[in-house]
Amino acid sequence: MATLDEITKEKQDSARRFHASMPNARSLSARLSELETVERVLARYSKGTQPRKTSSAKPTRGAKAAAPARLRGRRRGATAKSAGGSRNSPNLNDQVLALATGKTQQEIIAACKGARPNHVGAAIARHKRAGRVEERDGKLFATQPNGTEQRVAV
């Protein structure tokens, strides 16, 4: 693709000029970052060949943004599966209740692999409203149901 080659060449040229003259560093740095952004956008949305990797004057933070665009929609063979995987695994509500042993909400979210953070948060909120989980000092604790308290022998 001609435009990608031109951008790559101009990007290398800008990097070379950047190192050669430090007084113009600000303008060249801005131009270089501009070109890198345009290159990433073109790489993402172009249907043709992928651009060659080139070394620039400074590493970019958005290196992952150059990944090809994902296909939209669902594949034909995809089926709906739960995050747990098998029938015998506990559902998200049960997982959250089991993990509420003095952990923060962020720790519980990290422990529920495969579940979206907003789903875990919703499960925690449901347990709080139902009185099964209480929050003390930013940590979540499961409360004991009234019927399972241990009785003291007299």
Side-chain angles (χ1 to χ4, degrees):
M1 183 175 249
T3 51
L4 284 176
D5 293 337
E6 291 171 10
I7 290 172
T8 303
K9 186 178 178 183
E10 192 173 340
K11 184 174 134 184
Q12 289 172 343
D13 219 4
S14 296
R16 203 174 309 113
R17 283 186 283 160
F18 175 79
H19 286 295
S21 64
M22 289 310 266
N24 297 330
R26 280 194 182 147
S27 64
L28 289 175
S29 176
R31 180 73 177 145
L32 183 62
S33 65
E34 228 176 83
L35 288 169
E36 287 174 344
T37 303
V38 170
E39 184 181 34
R40 282 195 306 270
V41 169
L42 279 175
R44 178 175 285 182
Y45 293 109
S46 68
K47 300 250 182 194
T49 60
Q50 293 296 322
R52 294 181 298 275
K53 278 270 197 195
T54 59
S55 62
S56 63
K58 62 178 182 174
T60 60
R61 289 188 203 174
K64 291 184 181 179
R70 292 186 181 156
L71 296 176
R72 304 212 191 259
R74 191 182 268 194
R75 287 190 219 141
R76 290 181 187 254
T79 58
K81 292 183 181 178
S82 66
S86 67
R87 279 267 186 193
N88 296 333
S89 67
N91 62 17
L92 184 59
N93 285 329
D94 295 339
Q95 284 179 344
V96 167
L97 194 58
L99 289 168
T101 56
K103 294 182 180 178
T104 64
Q105 184 167 346
Q106 295 301 320
E107 291 171 335
I108 293 174
I109 288 171
C112 292
K113 292 190 171 47
R116 292 182 175 178
N118 58 325
H119 292 178
V120 177
I124 291 171
R126 283 192 297 272
H127 285 307
K128 282 182 181 177
R129 277 194 307 268
R132 292 184 294 263
V133 170
E134 63 184 33
E135 186 172 359
R136 287 178 267 162
D137 298 326
K139 299 192 184 255
L140 299 168
F141 296 90
T143 59
Q144 291 287 335
N146 292 335
T148 60
E149 297 161 355
Q150 292 182 353
R151 296 180 186 219
V152 179
V154 179

